[in-house]
């Protein structure tokens, strides 16, 4: 990045001692201290990553789905076992499982007349750990 280009954009610093400058899909925090131009690259998720994260968080924003994921992080379970552990009806459990599987967060395998579910996305375990750390009573 050319310092002259930064100076052209930063010269009227009316908002305070720093300004955000956008260059080629990268944000920089630019400040002037003692006549020197200081720039710091700001690390941010791109919009596609943010959209994916928002979709995942919307999908997981239900206590029953969080409980289901909590159960499934501990192994593979049949629908009736998940329903019993989560204290939900089998119909409700199937609907939640269908949503999670439809977003490729879970996978299933039929063995005879029983369907077993397991975690298909490593991100779910990390998300659940984050929820546990942030929301647990201390």
């Amino acid at each position: 990045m050319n310092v002259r280009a930064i100076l052209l954009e930063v010269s009227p610093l009316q908002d305070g001692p720093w300004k955000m400058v956008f260059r080629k899909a990268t944000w920089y925090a630019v400040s002037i201290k003692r006549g020197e131009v200081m720039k710091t690259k700001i690390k941010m998720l791109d919009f596609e990553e943010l959209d994916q994260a928002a979709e995942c968080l919307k999908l997981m924003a239900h206590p029953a789905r969080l409980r289901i994921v909590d159960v499934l992080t501990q192994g593979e379970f049949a629908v009736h076992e998940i329903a019993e552990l989560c204290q939900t009806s089998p119909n409700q459990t199937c609907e939640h499982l269908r949503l999670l599987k439809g977003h490729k967060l879970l996978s299933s395998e039929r063995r005879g007349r029983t369907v077993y579910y397991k975690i298909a996305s490593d991100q779910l375990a990390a998300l659940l750990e984050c929820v546990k750390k942030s929301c647990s009573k201390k």
Side-chain angles (χ1 to χ4, degrees), residues 4-50:
R4 288 185 193 152
I6 294 173
L7 285 173
L8 289 175
E9 290 188 36
V10 179
S11 56
L13 287 178
Q14 299 150 347
D15 298 344
W18 61 275
K19 182 177 182 175
M20 299 301 285
V21 179
F22 185 69
R23 288 268 192 248
K24 296 182 183 177
T26 304
W27 282 94
Y28 293 87
V30 180
S31 63
I32 297 177
K33 293 182 182 176
R34 297 186 188 122
E36 279 187 52
V37 175
M38 310 288 288
K39 68 177 181 178
T40 304
K41 187 174 181 177
I42 306 298
K43 297 175 186 169
M44 295 175 21
L45 296 171
D46 65 28
F47 288 110
E48 184 177 316
E49 291 171 318
L50 290 171

Side-chain angles (χ1 to χ4, degrees), residues 100-119:
L100 293 168
K101 185 179 176 190
H103 284 83
K104 299 184 181 2
L105 299 175
L106 301 181
S107 63
S108 66
E109 180 183 334
R110 179 176 290 280
R111 296 184 205 141
R113 296 184 65 189
T114 306
V115 179
Y116 291 87
Y117 284 86
K118 64 182 178 180
I119 301 287

Side-chain angles (χ1 to χ4, degrees), residues 2 5 8 10 20-21 25 39 48 55 59-60 72 75 79-80 85 91 95 99-101 104 109 121 126 129 136-137:
N2 187 329
L8 289 175
V10 179
M20 299 301 285
V21 179
K39 68 177 181 178
E48 184 177 316
E55 282 301 313
L59 183 66
M60 293 304 300
L72 292 174
V79 175
H80 69 278
L85 289 166
N91 290 341
E95 184 62 23
L99 283 170
L100 293 168
K101 185 179 176 190
K104 299 184 181 2
E109 180 183 334
S121 171
E129 273 306 307
S136 67
K137 297 176 184 175

Side-chain angles (χ1 to χ4, degrees), residues 84-101:
E84 186 177 325
L85 289 166
C86 295
Q87 299 176 359
T88 57
S89 73
N91 290 341
Q92 288 176 325
T93 303
C94 284
E95 184 62 23
H96 291 301
L97 291 167
R98 184 189 65 77
L99 283 170
L100 293 168
K101 185 179 176 190

